[in-house]
Amino acid sequence: MIEFDKNLKLEKDSSWVNPNLFLYKGVIYNNLGKFDLAIKNFDACLMSNKNNSAEAYFYKGISYKRWSKMDSARICFEKVKTLFEQGYKNKNVYEVQDELYLADILLEIKNIDG
């Protein structure tokens, strides 16, 4: 990730980067407990996807939840649900780490609501 970040900083335009790279990088940072960096990468993915990445919102919500920012997590999960129902889900099975299901989204919303 260090080399990727160095090369990205050298570029004036990051439009050549597959937005899913930011998604996967965010998941890694989330797993490391670096929630601020995870959210920054999910936001980069969302900017590249015109805010239509259900996966980025889902994992952003997971990061906020693990960071104990429940209001922000709820907003993300509600956005995921809306996008998912509108068909904004990564359909390329070769690029999806973990396929996103509506049941996962509803479970996260239920867990936040207690």
Side-chain angles (χ1 to χ4, degrees):
M1 283 195 315
I2 294 170
E3 287 300 315
F4 174 78
D5 288 340
K6 271 195 237 178
N7 288 326
L8 197 56
K9 284 180 185 176
L10 294 174
E11 295 289 330
K12 301 262 189 262
D13 176 22
S14 63
S15 64
W16 58 272
V17 178
N18 182 329
N20 286 334
L21 291 176
F22 293 111
L23 174 69
Y24 301 144
K25 208 170 128 194
V27 170
I28 291 168
Y29 280 128
N30 181 51
N31 291 338
L32 293 172
K34 297 181 178 187
F35 306 120
D36 56 331
L37 293 173
I39 290 166
K40 181 179 174 183
N41 279 278
F42 296 135
D43 286 340
C45 177
L46 289 166
M47 284 177 47
S48 298
N49 275 317
K50 299 178 180 133
N51 288 325
N52 290 331
S53 171
E55 289 78 10
Y57 275 110
F58 181 78
Y59 288 111
K60 185 177 176 181
I62 295 292
S63 291
Y64 276 128
K65 181 178 146 188
R66 291 188 64 207
W67 204 5
S68 299
K69 296 186 179 218
M70 298 307 179
D71 289 339
S72 296
R74 180 187 334 277
I75 291 167
C76 289
F77 292 134
E78 291 294 340
K79 180 71 174 175
V80 173
K81 183 175 179 272
T82 300
L83 288 172
F84 189 91
E85 289 170 343
Q86 293 173 351
Y88 290 104
K89 174 185 169 229
N90 192 344
K91 294 172 179 76
N92 185 343
V93 296
Y94 298 107
E95 289 191 12
V96 179
Q97 276 184 320
D98 298 306
E99 188 169 355
L100 186 58
Y101 296 98
L102 184 58
D104 297 328
I105 300 164
L106 296 175
L107 181 62
E108 291 299 335
I109 293 170
K110 181 181 175 187
N111 288 341
I112 286 179
D113 289 340

